[in-house]
Amino acid sequence: MTEEEIKQSLKLYIVLSRAHKVIDEESHSFFQANGVNPTEFAVLELLYHKGRQPLQQIGSKILLASGSITYVVDKLEKRGYLNRVSCPNDRRVTYAEISEEGHAFMAKIFPQHERVLHELMGALNDEEKEQAIALLKKLGRSIKDLSY
Amino acid sequence: MTEEEIKQSLKLYIVLSRAHKVIDEESHSFFQANGVNPTEFAVLELLYHKGRQPLQQIGSKILLASGSITYVVDKLEKRGYLNRVSCPNDRRVTYAEISEEGHAFMAKIFPQHERVLHELMGALNDEEKEQAIALLKKLGRSIKDLSY
DNA sequence: TATTGTTATACTCTATAACTATA
DNA sequence: TATAGTTATAGAGTATAACAATA
């Protein structure tokens, strides 16, 4: 392990962080312009694409404590984007289900979100994107394995 | 612009976010184990590598409002990692300067931080890292240009 | 007038712990 | 006993605005 190699890894960290940061800022302001924060968007996206979910499971997927889930779901429910639906089989369980209004909201903004991202990624051509995807996938996976 | 291409960009966004997230979590817990948060580390690193800085400039480099800089610098000063030094030429200005203790702290943990990152990046060989660096640099730069 | 830094204040997000109701 | 969700509370981190000192 040479000095040179360590510096290279640091460099990779820096460019990765910067790229992520600028993308994140852009999508953050896109979300903000649409009145949701990234956590709320993540919850809505989950419900939009995977159907209704027990609150508990939303928490484990988005990595939020149960009290925090109540808070986020409360906000989205007040805004009319989802409904709480009790589970008939297990009366302890409450589902969150996207409402018509929430569905319409996501049907409108999700494609926009995709398009924003696509534009942001415009500096890379198809082949470069494939390369980047392969490299980052490899990286992300190995780190996840390391940390468990 | 085909459906296919948009999905590819979304995919790139997802793998980039995931890779960043796992790296961030690892370095976050490294920082935490050393009693600082990422913002504090960023301030210390700036002072450690670039020398003393007017508080205002720290704010603009780390992207924090002036009130928030006071808060962060207060914490680091209380911990003995930096000192406030008034500027003799312009008495409105206060520099933050890393202390001996802060310097010793950074001299100890910065190389460790580099090594942690290097280990995390271990899934990629030198050539792959070069590719990833080139692609991410291109991406980050173009987005920054877009957003200004 | 403009700028630097501080103070006071408020807000958002998250976590924790105690609780209720079910299982 | 264990689990799902709620409530109450606290904390970290940030932003904003009003301010004092200085330019």
Side-chain angles (χ1 to χ4, degrees), chain A residues 74-132:
Chain A
D74 275 354
K75 286 205 302 175
L76 290 171
E77 191 174 30
K78 272 172 204 149
R79 222 171 307 165
Y81 285 166
L82 60 77
N83 297 117
R84 281 179 164 88
V85 180
S86 12
C87 171
N89 305 331
D90 184 340
R91 295 179 52 203
R92 292 171 305 180
V93 171
T94 303
Y95 291 103
E97 182 170 58
I98 199 162
S99 67
E100 246 184 68
E101 195 180 338
H103 193 276
F105 174 72
M106 286 302 284
K108 190 189 78 179
I109 78 161
F110 191 78
Q112 287 178 17
H113 173 59
E114 284 185 314
R115 241 173 289 135
V116 167
L117 289 176
H118 187 61
E119 277 163 34
L120 292 177
M121 302 298 186
L124 304 185
N125 63 34
D126 285 9
E127 197 189 332
E128 289 170 327
K129 280 180 203 160
E130 280 309 323
Q131 282 175 23

Coordinates of all heavy atoms in Angstrom, one line a residue, chain A residues 74-132:
Chain A
D74 N -47.8 11.2 9.7 CA -48.7 12.2 10.1 C -48.7 13.4 9.1 O -49.8 13.9 8.7 CB -48.4 12.8 11.5 CG -48.9 12.0 12.6 OD1 -49.7 11.0 12.3 OD2 -48.6 12.3 13.8
K75 N -47.5 13.8 8.8 CA -47.4 15.0 7.9 C -48.0 14.7 6.5 O -48.8 15.5 6.0 CB -45.9 15.4 7.7 CG -45.4 16.1 9.0 CD -44.2 17.1 8.6 CE -43.1 16.3 8.0 NZ -42.0 17.2 7.5
L76 N -47.7 13.5 6.0 CA -48.2 13.2 4.7 C -49.7 12.9 4.7 O -50.4 13.2 3.7 CB -47.4 11.9 4.2 CG -46.0 12.2 3.8 CD1 -45.2 10.9 3.5 CD2 -45.8 13.1 2.6
E77 N -50.2 12.4 5.8 CA -51.6 12.2 5.9 C -52.4 13.5 6.0 O -53.4 13.7 5.3 CB -51.9 11.3 7.2 CG -53.4 10.8 7.2 CD -53.6 9.9 8.3 OE1 -53.0 10.0 9.4 OE2 -54.5 9.0 8.2
K78 N -51.8 14.5 6.8 CA -52.4 15.8 6.9 C -52.5 16.5 5.5 O -53.4 17.2 5.2 CB -51.7 16.7 7.9 CG -52.2 16.5 9.3 CD -51.3 17.2 10.3 CE -51.5 16.6 11.7 NZ -50.2 16.7 12.5
R79 N -51.5 16.2 4.7 CA -51.4 16.8 3.4 C -52.3 16.1 2.4 O -52.4 16.5 1.2 CB -50.0 16.9 2.9 CG -49.7 18.2 2.2 CD -48.2 18.4 1.9 NE -47.4 18.2 3.1 CZ -46.1 18.0 3.0 NH1 -45.5 17.9 1.9 NH2 -45.4 17.8 4.1
G80 N -52.9 15.0 2.8 CA -53.8 14.2 2.0 C -53.1 13.3 1.0 O -53.8 12.8 0.1
Y81 N -51.8 13.0 1.2 CA -51.1 12.2 0.3 C -51.2 10.7 0.6 O -50.9 9.9 -0.3 CB -49.6 12.6 0.2 CG -49.4 13.9 -0.6 CD1 -48.2 14.5 -0.5 CD2 -50.4 14.4 -1.4 CE1 -47.9 15.7 -1.2 CE2 -50.2 15.6 -2.0 CZ -48.9 16.3 -1.9 OH -48.7 17.4 -2.6
L82 N -51.6 10.4 1.8 CA -51.8 8.9 2.1 C -52.8 8.8 3.2 O -53.3 9.8 3.8 CB -50.4 8.3 2.6 CG -49.7 8.9 3.8 CD1 -50.3 8.5 5.1 CD2 -48.3 8.4 3.8
N83 N -53.3 7.6 3.4 CA -54.3 7.2 4.4 C -53.7 6.1 5.3 O -53.0 5.3 4.8 CB -55.6 6.8 3.8 CG -56.2 7.9 3.0 OD1 -56.4 7.8 1.8 ND2 -56.5 9.0 3.6
R84 N -54.1 6.1 6.5 CA -53.9 5.0 7.4 C -55.0 4.0 7.2 O -56.2 4.4 7.2 CB -53.8 5.4 8.8 CG -52.4 6.1 9.2 CD -52.5 6.5 10.7 NE -51.2 6.8 11.3 CZ -50.5 7.9 11.2 NH1 -51.1 8.9 10.6 NH2 -49.4 8.1 11.8
V85 N -54.7 2.8 7.1 CA -55.7 1.7 6.9 C -55.3 0.6 7.9 O -54.2 0.1 7.9 CB -55.6 1.1 5.5 CG1 -56.6 0.0 5.3 CG2 -55.8 2.2 4.4
S86 N -56.3 0.3 8.8 CA -56.0 -0.8 9.7 C -56.0 -2.2 9.1 O -56.8 -2.4 8.2 CB -56.9 -0.7 11.0 OG -57.9 0.1 10.8
C87 N -55.2 -3.0 9.6 CA -55.1 -4.4 9.1 C -56.1 -5.2 9.8 O -56.2 -5.2 11.0 CB -53.7 -4.9 9.4 SG -53.5 -6.7 9.0
P88 N -57.0 -5.9 9.1 CA -58.1 -6.7 9.7 C -57.6 -7.9 10.4 O -58.1 -8.3 11.4 CB -59.0 -7.0 8.5 CG -58.2 -6.9 7.3 CD -57.0 -6.0 7.6
N89 N -56.5 -8.5 9.9 CA -56.0 -9.8 10.5 C -55.2 -9.5 11.8 O -55.3 -10.3 12.7 CB -55.0 -10.4 9.5 CG -55.7 -10.7 8.1 OD1 -56.9 -10.8 8.1 ND2 -54.9 -10.6 7.1
D90 N -54.4 -8.5 11.8 CA -53.6 -8.2 13.0 C -53.9 -6.8 13.4 O -53.4 -5.8 12.8 CB -52.1 -8.4 12.7 CG -51.3 -8.2 13.9 OD1 -51.8 -7.6 14.9 OD2 -50.1 -8.7 13.9
R91 N -54.7 -6.6 14.4 CA -55.2 -5.3 14.7 C -54.2 -4.4 15.3 O -54.4 -3.2 15.6 CB -56.5 -5.4 15.6 CG -57.6 -6.1 14.9 CD -58.9 -6.2 15.7 NE -59.3 -5.0 16.3 CZ -60.1 -4.9 17.3 NH1 -60.5 -6.0 17.9 NH2 -60.4 -3.7 17.8
R92 N -52.9 -4.9 15.5 CA -51.9 -4.0 16.0 C -51.3 -3.2 14.8 O -50.7 -2.1 14.9 CB -50.7 -4.8 16.6 CG -51.1 -5.4 17.9 CD -49.9 -6.4 18.3 NE -49.6 -7.3 17.2 CZ -48.7 -8.3 17.3 NH1 -48.0 -8.4 18.3 NH2 -48.5 -9.1 16.3
V93 N -51.5 -3.7 13.6 CA -50.9 -3.2 12.4 C -51.7 -2.1 11.7 O -52.9 -2.2 11.6 CB -50.6 -4.4 11.4 CG1 -50.1 -3.8 10.0 CG2 -49.6 -5.3 12.0
T94 N -51.0 -1.1 11.3 CA -51.6 0.0 10.4 C -50.8 0.1 9.1 O -49.6 0.2 9.2 CB -51.5 1.3 11.2 OG1 -52.2 1.2 12.4 CG2 -52.2 2.4 10.3
Y95 N -51.5 0.0 8.0 CA -50.9 0.3 6.8 C -50.9 1.8 6.4 O -51.8 2.5 6.8 CB -51.6 -0.4 5.6 CG -51.6 -1.9 5.7 CD1 -52.6 -2.7 6.1 CD2 -50.4 -2.6 5.2 CE1 -52.6 -4.1 6.1 CE2 -50.4 -4.0 5.2 CZ -51.5 -4.7 5.7 OH -51.4 -6.1 5.7
A96 N -49.9 2.2 5.7 CA -50.0 3.5 5.0 C -50.2 3.2 3.5 O -49.6 2.3 2.9 CB -48.7 4.2 5.1
E97 N -51.2 3.8 3.0 CA -51.6 3.6 1.6 C -51.7 4.9 0.9 O -52.3 5.9 1.4 CB -53.0 2.9 1.6 CG -53.5 2.6 0.2 CD -54.7 1.7 0.3 OE1 -55.7 2.1 0.9 OE2 -54.7 0.6 -0.3
I98 N -51.1 5.0 -0.3 CA -51.1 6.3 -1.0 C -52.5 6.6 -1.4 O -53.3 5.7 -1.8 CB -50.1 6.2 -2.2 CG1 -49.8 7.6 -2.6 CG2 -50.7 5.4 -3.3 CD1 -48.5 7.7 -3.5
S99 N -52.9 7.9 -1.3 CA -54.3 8.3 -1.6 C -54.3 8.7 -3.1 O -53.3 8.7 -3.8 CB -54.6 9.6 -0.8 OG -53.8 10.6 -1.3
E100 N -55.5 9.0 -3.6 CA -55.6 9.4 -5.0 C -54.8 10.6 -5.3 O -54.1 10.7 -6.2 CB -57.1 9.7 -5.3 CG -57.7 8.8 -6.3 CD -59.2 9.2 -6.6 OE1 -59.3 10.3 -7.2 OE2 -60.1 8.5 -6.2
E101 N -54.9 11.5 -4.3 CA -54.1 12.8 -4.4 C -52.6 12.5 -4.4 O -51.9 13.1 -5.2 CB -54.5 13.7 -3.3 CG -54.1 15.2 -3.5 CD -54.5 16.1 -2.3 OE1 -55.4 15.7 -1.6 OE2 -53.9 17.1 -2.2
G102 N -52.2 11.6 -3.5 CA -50.8 11.3 -3.5 C -50.3 10.6 -4.7 O -49.2 10.9 -5.2
H103 N -51.2 9.8 -5.3 CA -50.9 9.1 -6.5 C -50.7 10.1 -7.6 O -49.8 10.0 -8.4 CB -51.9 8.0 -6.8 CG -51.5 7.1 -7.9 ND1 -51.7 7.3 -9.2 CD2 -51.0 5.8 -7.8 CE1 -51.2 6.3 -9.9 NE2 -50.8 5.4 -9.1
A104 N -51.7 11.0 -7.7 CA -51.6 12.0 -8.8 C -50.3 12.8 -8.6 O -49.7 13.1 -9.6 CB -52.8 12.9 -8.7
F105 N -50.0 13.2 -7.4 CA -48.8 13.9 -7.1 C -47.6 13.2 -7.6 O -46.7 13.8 -8.4 CB -48.7 14.2 -5.6 CG -47.4 14.9 -5.2 CD1 -47.2 16.2 -5.5 CD2 -46.4 14.2 -4.5 CE1 -46.0 16.8 -5.1 CE2 -45.3 14.8 -4.1 CZ -45.1 16.1 -4.4
M106 N -47.5 11.9 -7.3 CA -46.3 11.1 -7.7 C -46.3 10.9 -9.2 O -45.3 10.9 -9.9 CB -46.2 9.8 -7.0 CG -45.8 9.9 -5.5 SD -44.2 10.7 -5.3 CE -43.1 9.4 -5.8
A107 N -47.5 10.7 -9.8 CA -47.6 10.5 -11.2 C -47.1 11.7 -12.0 O -46.6 11.6 -13.1 CB -49.0 10.2 -11.6
K108 N -47.3 12.9 -11.3 CA -46.8 14.1 -11.9 C -45.3 14.3 -11.7 O -44.5 14.5 -12.7 CB -47.5 15.3 -11.4 CG -47.3 16.6 -12.1 CD -47.8 17.8 -11.4 CE -47.0 18.2 -10.2 NZ -47.4 19.4 -9.5
I109 N -44.9 14.1 -10.5 CA -43.5 14.5 -10.2 C -42.4 13.4 -10.4 O -41.3 13.8 -10.6 CB -43.3 15.2 -8.8 CG1 -43.3 14.2 -7.7 CG2 -44.3 16.3 -8.6 CD1 -42.6 14.8 -6.4
F110 N -42.8 12.2 -10.3 CA -41.8 11.2 -10.5 C -41.1 11.2 -11.8 O -39.9 11.2 -11.9 CB -42.3 9.8 -10.1 CG -41.2 8.8 -10.0 CD1 -40.4 8.7 -8.9 CD2 -40.9 7.9 -11.1 CE1 -39.3 7.8 -8.8 CE2 -39.8 7.0 -11.0 CZ -39.0 7.0 -9.9
P111 N -41.9 11.3 -12.9 CA -41.3 11.4 -14.2 C -40.4 12.7 -14.4 O -39.4 12.7 -15.0 CB -42.5 11.5 -15.2 CG -43.6 10.8 -14.5 CD -43.4 11.2 -13.0
Q112 N -40.9 13.7 -13.7 CA -40.1 15.0 -13.7 C -38.8 14.7 -13.0 O -37.7 15.2 -13.5 CB -40.8 16.1 -13.0 CG -42.0 16.7 -13.8 CD -42.7 17.8 -13.1 OE1 -42.2 18.3 -12.1 NE2 -44.0 18.1 -13.5
H113 N -38.9 14.1 -11.9 CA -37.7 13.7 -11.1 C -36.7 12.9 -12.0 O -35.5 13.2 -12.0 CB -38.1 12.9 -9.9 CG -37.0 12.4 -9.1 ND1 -36.0 13.2 -8.5 CD2 -36.6 11.1 -8.7 CE1 -35.2 12.4 -7.8 NE2 -35.5 11.2 -7.9
E114 N -37.2 12.0 -12.7 CA -36.4 11.2 -13.6 C -35.7 12.0 -14.6 O -34.5 11.9 -15.0 CB -37.2 10.1 -14.3 CG -37.6 8.9 -13.4 CD -38.3 7.8 -14.2 OE1 -39.2 8.2 -15.0 OE2 -37.9 6.7 -14.1
R115 N -36.5 12.9 -15.2 CA -36.0 13.8 -16.2 C -34.9 14.7 -15.7 O -33.9 14.9 -16.4 CB -37.1 14.6 -16.9 CG -37.3 14.2 -18.4 CD -38.5 14.8 -19.0 NE -39.7 14.2 -18.5 CZ -40.8 14.9 -18.1 NH1 -40.8 16.2 -18.1 NH2 -41.8 14.2 -17.7
V116 N -35.1 15.3 -14.5 CA -34.1 16.1 -13.9 C -32.8 15.4 -13.8 O -31.8 15.8 -14.2 CB -34.6 16.6 -12.5 CG1 -33.4 17.3 -11.8 CG2 -35.7 17.6 -12.7
L117 N -32.9 14.2 -13.3 CA -31.7 13.3 -13.1 C -31.1 13.1 -14.4 O -29.8 13.1 -14.5 CB -32.1 12.0 -12.4 CG -32.5 12.1 -10.9 CD1 -32.9 10.8 -10.4 CD2 -31.3 12.7 -10.1
H118 N -31.9 12.7 -15.4 CA -31.3 12.4 -16.7 C -30.5 13.6 -17.3 O -29.5 13.5 -17.8 CB -32.4 12.0 -17.6 CG -32.0 11.5 -19.0 ND1 -31.2 10.4 -19.1 CD2 -32.2 12.0 -20.2 CE1 -30.9 10.2 -20.4 NE2 -31.5 11.2 -21.1
E119 N -31.1 14.8 -17.1 CA -30.4 16.0 -17.6 C -29.1 16.2 -16.8 O -28.1 16.5 -17.4 CB -31.3 17.2 -17.4 CG -32.3 17.4 -18.6 CD -33.4 18.4 -18.2 OE1 -33.1 19.3 -17.5 OE2 -34.5 18.1 -18.7
L120 N -29.2 16.0 -15.5 CA -27.9 16.1 -14.7 C -26.8 15.2 -15.1 O -25.7 15.5 -15.0 CB -28.3 15.9 -13.2 CG -29.2 17.0 -12.5 CD1 -29.4 16.6 -11.1 CD2 -28.5 18.3 -12.6
M121 N -27.2 14.0 -15.6 CA -26.3 13.0 -15.9 C -25.8 13.2 -17.4 O -25.1 12.3 -17.9 CB -26.9 11.6 -15.8 CG -27.4 11.3 -14.4 SD -26.1 11.2 -13.2 CE -27.1 10.6 -11.8
G122 N -26.3 14.2 -18.0 CA -26.0 14.4 -19.4 C -24.6 14.5 -19.8 O -24.3 14.3 -21.0
A123 N -23.7 14.8 -18.9 CA -22.3 14.9 -19.2 C -21.7 13.5 -19.7 O -20.7 13.5 -20.4 CB -21.5 15.4 -18.1
L124 N -22.3 12.5 -19.3 CA -21.8 11.1 -19.6 C -22.7 10.5 -20.7 O -23.9 10.6 -20.7 CB -21.8 10.2 -18.4 CG -21.1 10.7 -17.2 CD1 -21.1 9.6 -16.1 CD2 -19.6 11.1 -17.5
N125 N -22.0 9.9 -21.7 CA -22.8 9.2 -22.7 C -23.2 7.8 -22.2 O -22.8 7.4 -21.1 CB -22.0 9.1 -24.0 CG -20.7 8.3 -23.9 OD1 -20.6 7.4 -23.1 ND2 -19.7 8.7 -24.6
D126 N -23.9 7.1 -23.0 CA -24.5 5.8 -22.6 C -23.4 4.8 -22.1 O -23.5 4.2 -21.0 CB -25.2 5.1 -23.7 CG -26.5 5.7 -23.9 OD1 -26.8 6.8 -23.3 OD2 -27.3 5.2 -24.7
E127 N -22.3 4.8 -22.8 CA -21.2 3.9 -22.5 C -20.6 4.2 -21.2 O -20.3 3.4 -20.3 CB -20.2 3.8 -23.6 CG -19.3 2.6 -23.6 CD -18.1 2.8 -24.6 OE1 -18.4 3.5 -25.6 OE2 -17.1 2.3 -24.3
E128 N -20.3 5.5 -21.0 CA -19.7 6.0 -19.8 C -20.6 5.8 -18.6 O -20.2 5.4 -17.5 CB -19.4 7.5 -19.9 CG -18.3 7.8 -20.8 CD -18.1 9.3 -21.1 OE1 -19.1 10.0 -21.2 OE2 -17.0 9.7 -21.4
K129 N -21.9 5.9 -18.8 CA -22.9 5.7 -17.7 C -22.8 4.2 -17.3 O -22.8 3.9 -16.1 CB -24.3 6.0 -18.1 CG -24.6 7.5 -18.0 CD -26.0 7.8 -18.4 CE -26.2 9.2 -18.8 NZ -27.3 9.5 -19.7
E130 N -22.7 3.3 -18.3 CA -22.6 1.9 -18.0 C -21.4 1.6 -17.2 O -21.4 0.8 -16.2 CB -22.6 1.1 -19.3 CG -24.0 0.8 -19.9 CD -25.0 0.3 -19.0 OE1 -24.7 -0.5 -18.1 OE2 -26.2 0.7 -19.1
Q131 N -20.3 2.2 -17.6 CA -19.0 2.0 -16.8 C -19.2 2.5 -15.4 O -18.8 1.8 -14.4 CB -17.9 2.8 -17.5 CG -17.3 2.2 -18.7 CD -16.3 3.1 -19.4 OE1 -15.7 4.0 -18.7 NE2 -16.0 2.9 -20.7
A132 N -19.7 3.7 -15.3 CA -19.9 4.3 -13.9 C -20.8 3.4 -13.1 O -20.5 3.2 -11.9 CB -20.4 5.7 -14.1

